[in-house]
Amino acid sequence: MTPSVPNRETTDYLESRIRAVGLRPTRQRLALAGLLFQAGHRHVTAEKLHGEAMKRGIRVSLATIYNTLHQFTAAGLLREVVVDTDRSYFDTNMERHHHFFHEDTGLLEDIPSSELELKNLPPLPEGSEISSIDVVIRLSGTRKLPL
Amino acid sequence: MTPSVPNRETTDYLESRIRAVGLRPTRQRLALAGLLFQAGHRHVTAEKLHGEAMKRGIRVSLATIYNTLHQFTAAGLLREVVVDTDRSYFDTNMERHHHFFHEDTGLLEDIPSSELELKNLPPLPEGSEISSIDVVIRLSGTRKLPL
DNA sequence: TCAATATATTAGAATAATTCTAAAAAGGCT
DNA sequence: AGCCTTTTTAGAATTATTCTAATATATTGA
């Protein structure tokens, strides 16, 4: 049946996810959701996502990339990870987890939550509550083989 | 003797710290070191430090603030803490420790290292080594009294 | 102490990521 | 279809930071 319609199911899935958070499934948002959510967990910057979209012939302005990343974040589809003062990173993995950050390449990588635990959390300052706990293990490259 | 020379000892201390890392103890660097290192541990942004300097009548350009913060960081007198994409924070506490970040006020606060521990660090990706481990507990304000 | 040399400071221009603006386009409802 | 709302967008604006190249200050050695 309708053998020439590609990825119907997938598109429906993206559309419903977008609708579910109260946003209109526009061409741009569907395309970006495709890039973000169809290939496992990802870490993107605005510029990189824009580049990818261009490469695939999706016409989206950079302003829309920023709008969409922020709307998705506000909607709980993405989370922002602060690791670099120059660039914002967005993570599609919403489970509780932490990150490796390769300082030389700018690559950001998930650490599965199970592997790392925090012990002995200190008492919080009066009148505040935890919004999130972010652990970043910064890595520097090392030559592969000893000199 | 020389009763009217104020803080001789302190100034000497700052001067020797600056010299010790191979920098010339200029008027600006001495003044900034004074603000940074004479009142316990601090967290500053370039803009805030510049504001403080102005308030005390120290004439320093913002460019010099940036130069100095980076030189002090490279020299191991300061450490940069990445908690905000919009602003760089510098911490005068060089011991191993982590941070509370008050998202509403932008206040950054040390967590003494002893209180918080990390268990079960994951294996590192091949060919990398740890440059630092940064833990940030982000806090949101709460009304002081329950409604 | 003073000149010669190296290093610092600075104003202002330049840069780069991000946000804003307001006008045109697309989505959704009846 | 037609109307109203939400989106997209180009380009201007903003903001933190860096760069530039000209001037000033620190250091060294005679």
Side-chain angles (χ1 to χ4, degrees):
Chain A
M1 330 62 184
T2 62
S4 65
V5 174
N7 283 356
R8 196 192 199 300
E9 190 176 319
T10 296
T11 296
D12 280 359
Y13 166 72
L14 294 175
E15 175 167 340
S16 64
R17 271 197 97 171
I18 291 173
R19 279 197 203 281
V21 299
L23 295 171
R24 290 182 177 174
T26 61
R27 178 175 61 73
Q28 291 85 338
R29 293 209 269 235
L30 283 167
L32 295 177
L35 294 177
L36 291 169
F37 304 124
Q38 281 180 340
H41 290 142
R42 308 204 47 195
H43 300 93
V44 301
T45 61
E47 209 66 62
K48 271 199 321 179
L49 184 59
H50 188 240
E52 267 182 53
M54 299 284 93
K55 199 158 46 188
R56 308 231 186 159
I58 300 163
R59 285 181 19 277
V60 209
S61 72
L62 198 47
T64 296
I65 300 277
Y66 279 105
N67 289 340
T68 303
L69 288 173
H70 287 137
Q71 289 153 352
F72 283 8
T73 299
L77 299 177
L78 290 178
R79 121 184 210 200
E80 186 174 354
V81 185
V82 179
V83 284
D84 185 331
T85 344
D86 289 346
R87 226 169 306 292
S88 293
Y89 283 79
F90 295 86
D91 188 347
T92 61
N93 182 354
M94 296 300 287
E95 327 242 294
R96 172 177 298 156
H97 70 285
H98 302 297
H99 295 95
F100 284 126
F101 181 61
H102 296 257
E103 294 182 319
D104 47 356
T105 60
L107 180 78
L108 189 60
E109 190 179 349
D110 284 356
I111 299 174
S113 162
S114 57
E115 303 197 35
L116 174 62
E117 42 181 325
L118 294 159
K119 285 294 206 192
N120 196 20
L121 281 196
L124 303 186
E126 268 307 310
S128 10
E129 59 183 32
I130 293 181
S131 147
S132 71
I133 299 183
D134 300 345
V135 178
V136 177
I137 300 185
R138 290 174 191 274
L139 303 173
S140 54
T142 316
R143 45 204 162 309
K144 278 285 156 48
L145 299 169
L147 183 59
Chain B
M1 317 73 183
T2 63
S4 64
V5 174
N7 284 355
R8 195 190 200 301
E9 192 177 318
T10 297
T11 295
D12 281 358
Y13 166 72
L14 294 176
E15 175 167 342
S16 63
R17 272 197 95 172
I18 290 173
R19 279 196 202 283
V21 300
L23 294 171
R24 291 179 175 177
T26 62
R27 177 175 61 71
Q28 292 84 338
R29 294 209 269 234
L30 284 167
L32 295 178
L35 295 176
L36 290 169
F37 304 124
Q38 282 181 340
H41 289 145
R42 307 203 48 195
H43 299 93
V44 301
T45 61
E47 209 65 62
K48 270 199 323 178
L49 184 59
H50 188 240
E52 266 182 54
M54 301 284 93
K55 198 159 43 187
R56 307 229 186 161
I58 301 163
R59 285 181 18 278
V60 209
S61 72
L62 199 47
T64 297
I65 299 277
Y66 278 105
N67 289 340
T68 302
L69 288 173
H70 287 139
Q71 290 153 352
F72 283 8
T73 299
L77 300 176
L78 290 178
R79 121 185 210 201
E80 187 174 354
V81 185
V82 180
V83 284
D84 186 332
T85 346
D86 288 346
R87 227 169 304 292
S88 292
Y89 283 78
F90 295 85
D91 187 349
T92 60
N93 182 354
M94 296 301 286
E95 327 241 294
R96 172 177 299 156
H97 70 286
H98 302 297
H99 295 96
F100 284 126
F101 181 60
H102 296 257
E103 293 183 319
D104 46 356
T105 60
L107 179 78
L108 189 61
E109 190 179 348
D110 283 356
I111 299 174
S113 161
S114 55
E115 303 196 36
L116 174 62
E117 41 182 324
L118 294 159
K119 285 295 203 193
N120 197 20
L121 281 197
L124 303 185
E126 268 307 310
S128 8
E129 59 184 32
I130 293 180
S131 147
S132 71
I133 300 183
D134 299 345
V135 178
V136 177
I137 300 184
R138 290 174 189 274
L139 303 173
S140 55
T142 315
R143 44 204 161 309
K144 278 284 155 50
L145 300 169
L147 182 57

